[in-house]
Amino acid sequence: ALAAPLIVPATALGRGGAVAPSERIAMACIGVGGRGQANLGAFHARKDVAIVAICDVDSAHRRAALERTGLKPDAGSNDFREVLARRDVDAVMVATPDHWHALISIAAVKAGKDVYCEKPLAGSIAEGQALVKAVREHKRVLQCGTQRRSMAGCRFACELVRNGRIGKLRRIEVGVPGQFAVSGGYTGLEPPGPVPEGFDYEMWLGPAPGAPYTAARCHFNFRWILDYSPGYITDWGAHYLDIAQWGNGSDESGPVEVEAHDVGFREKGIYDAPERFRIVYTYASGVQAVLTATTDRSLWGMKFVGESGSVSVESNDVVTEPASLKTTAIGPAEVRLRESSDHYGDFIECVRSRARTAAPVEVGHRSASICHLGAIAAVLKRKLRWDPAAERFLDDDEANRRTARKLREPWTLQAV
């Protein structure tokens, strides 16, 4: 035996295109239905990541994720606190319904984990502020799932705007869907029913108000209920307004006025988020961003309008006026925006280097905040003045109360 040569596989040493197990980022995935499935798949496919734990309140989601990753049943949980208590977890992916995003992310950074959190970063402005504070205090890395920050088309469009290729920026037109894409054929009028076996509905509700169970309320369709989300204002707005902020150069700031027009709600049922709206945000520079719900798919995305041209973008599709702008090269001495070609990979690289991500907590918070400003204006139906430095409405106590949600006991921002 002593004479036998010691043969160590190249994969164990991190050679041969593999990564040594000790060098992989150990990740737990919290929320693995819907968008969480896509995130799980992307991280699981990476050689530098090891998925070690799965958390979901729906046993069917949990079981499917465990099978996909080859993990044993004891690697699954329906309580995120059990996952965060594990010392072998370096980072977490959070893709729960929106009303849980900030609370779980705050608990994660307090537990010493880095976080990839889906958009919108928080369910309220106050929750976003608390998450920014926690990430800074605990010196953690966070990437918000606003993945258009890692799309070359969006970056190029914003660089055109920031470098004056369309002249002075005047207006940003942002279009999102104008009719709820309700999944499962539900109407929102379905009566309450028994909670399915294997679904921890109380944990699903968490900090949101108590409500009778109906399948029409949960999973994908939470988006259309104000207790959890203000509809497309955050669902798509968090992506599109994020790019509007980037092109406007207001990543860590915001507008000074917001007013909602043409607001419409469904007359009956549990889907009570605004379904029709035109929300006008005015910045101190005079630039206006207009968020409109529309059924015209050609208007979905972002259009920057300047004094001498325009640039429209959705993901990597860029259209310019004049057309010659699309072939413009951005010079080395001009404004060059943070470059990333892989949102997931960027997060993992920053976990290793401790560098600032493509969509850091401050940026994710401001992009979510501008959505919540619009949602508050849509409900109050009046012009609101906003101080982006203090992050407070001016002379409007009712509007300021709406910057925070009342959380159901025992959940609080301090307790997580």
Side-chain angles (χ1 to χ4, degrees):
L2 291 175
L6 178 62
I7 300 175
V8 180
T11 53
L13 299 175
R15 298 198 296 266
V19 178
S22 61
E23 295 299 316
R24 295 175 188 161
I25 301 301
M27 176 173 281
C29 293
I30 304 174
V32 290
R35 183 64 189 166
Q37 294 182 39
N39 291 343
L40 167 68
F43 283 118
H44 182 52
R46 298 188 61 86
K47 296 178 180 179
D48 53 2
V49 173
I51 305 296
V52 299
I54 299 294
C55 179
D56 199 288
V57 296
D58 189 321
S59 62
H61 292 171
R62 195 164 64 245
R63 184 166 54 252
L66 290 169
E67 291 176 356
R68 183 177 186 180
T69 54
L71 295 174
K72 296 180 179 179
D74 62 2
S77 173
N78 72 326
D79 190 328
F80 69 91
R81 293 169 294 188
E82 295 177 356
V83 169
L84 297 183
R86 291 181 52 158
R87 298 184 65 181
D88 63 336
V89 172
D90 302 313
V92 299
M93 182 280 294
V94 179
T96 60
D98 297 0
H99 64 286
W100 265 118
H101 283 182
L103 272 72
I104 293 177
S105 295
I106 290 170
V109 299
K110 286 182 177 180
K113 319 301 183 187
D114 296 320
V115 178
Y116 183 100
C117 182
E118 262 306 324
K119 57 79 200 168
L121 193 61
S124 73
I125 294 172
E127 290 168 28
Q129 292 169 330
L131 180 52
V132 170
K133 180 180 178 182
V135 169
R136 288 174 172 172
E137 285 184 356
H138 295 274
K139 297 180 172 57
R140 305 320 303 172
V141 169
L142 183 143
Q143 177 89 295
C144 182
T146 44
Q147 71 267 18
R148 282 167 179 76
R149 289 268 170 163
S150 293
M151 294 183 179
C154 287
R155 183 178 67 254
F156 176 60
C158 291
E159 287 180 340
L160 289 177
V161 177
R162 297 278 287 271
N163 285 293
R165 294 294 201 278
I166 61 172
K168 185 176 180 180
L169 180 62
R170 293 298 192 191
R171 186 174 73 258
I172 310 169
E173 300 169 0
V174 182
V176 298
Q179 185 175 358
F180 295 154
V182 179
S183 178
Y186 297 112
T187 65
L189 299 170
E190 291 77 10
V195 178
E197 184 178 354
F199 182 47
D200 189 342
Y201 180 57
E202 276 301 305
M203 189 58 127
W204 186 92
L205 285 171
Y213 172 81
T214 170
R217 178 184 301 278
C218 300
H219 297 330
F220 182 85
N221 293 323
F222 77 84
R223 291 163 169 81
W224 326 128
I225 302 172
L226 281 173
D227 283 340
Y228 324 118
S229 167
Y232 280 119
I233 294 176
T234 52
D235 188 48
W236 285 36
H239 282 302
Y240 290 175
L241 289 171
D242 176 63
I243 299 304
Q245 289 265 98
W246 204 17
N248 189 43
S250 51
D251 263 352
E252 295 186 34
S253 182
V256 295
E257 284 186 354
V258 56
E259 186 172 13
H261 307 268
D262 308 323
V263 179
F265 300 83
R266 294 196 174 189
E267 295 181 359
K268 298 179 181 179
I270 61 174
Y271 299 144
D272 61 351
E275 191 166 25
R276 300 181 304 280
F277 49 81
R278 184 171 64 85
I279 301 170
V280 180
Y281 301 92
T282 304
Y283 291 82
S285 64
V287 171
Q288 287 193 327
V290 183
L291 177 67
T292 304
T294 175
T295 56
D296 185 346
R297 290 173 174 263
S298 69
L299 298 178
W300 295 354
M302 298 71 69
K303 181 177 183 179
F304 298 90
V305 181
E307 289 181 329
S308 58
S310 67
V311 55
S312 301
V313 62
E314 206 302 307
S315 300
N316 280 315
D317 299 325
V318 179
V319 177
T320 64
E321 178 58 44
S324 58
L325 288 179
K326 192 170 181 178
T327 58
T328 296
I330 305 298
E334 294 187 280
V335 174
R336 304 299 294 268
L337 299 177
R338 168 72 157 78
E339 185 171 349
S340 164
S341 59
D342 178 351
H343 215 54
Y344 302 108
D346 180 79
F347 172 63
I348 297 302
E349 289 174 11
C350 291
V351 168
R352 295 183 183 283
S353 68
R354 315 312 294 170
R356 184 177 168 90
T357 61
V361 65
E362 295 87 355
V363 171
H365 163 56
R366 291 292 186 162
S367 296
S369 289
I370 192 173
C371 298
H372 291 305
L373 292 178
I376 293 169
V379 171
L380 295 182
K381 298 179 181 178
R382 61 173 178 266
K383 181 182 288 188
L384 303 171
R385 294 186 298 144
W386 176 251
D387 182 338
E391 294 189 79
R392 286 186 57 80
F393 290 103
L394 301 178
D395 304 317
D396 198 320
D397 292 340
E398 182 180 9
N400 279 317
R401 284 193 294 271
R402 291 179 178 273
T403 61
R405 294 184 301 143
K406 183 178 180 181
L407 304 181
R408 188 171 66 132
E409 294 182 350
W411 304 105
T412 67
L413 287 175
Q414 294 72 36
V416 293

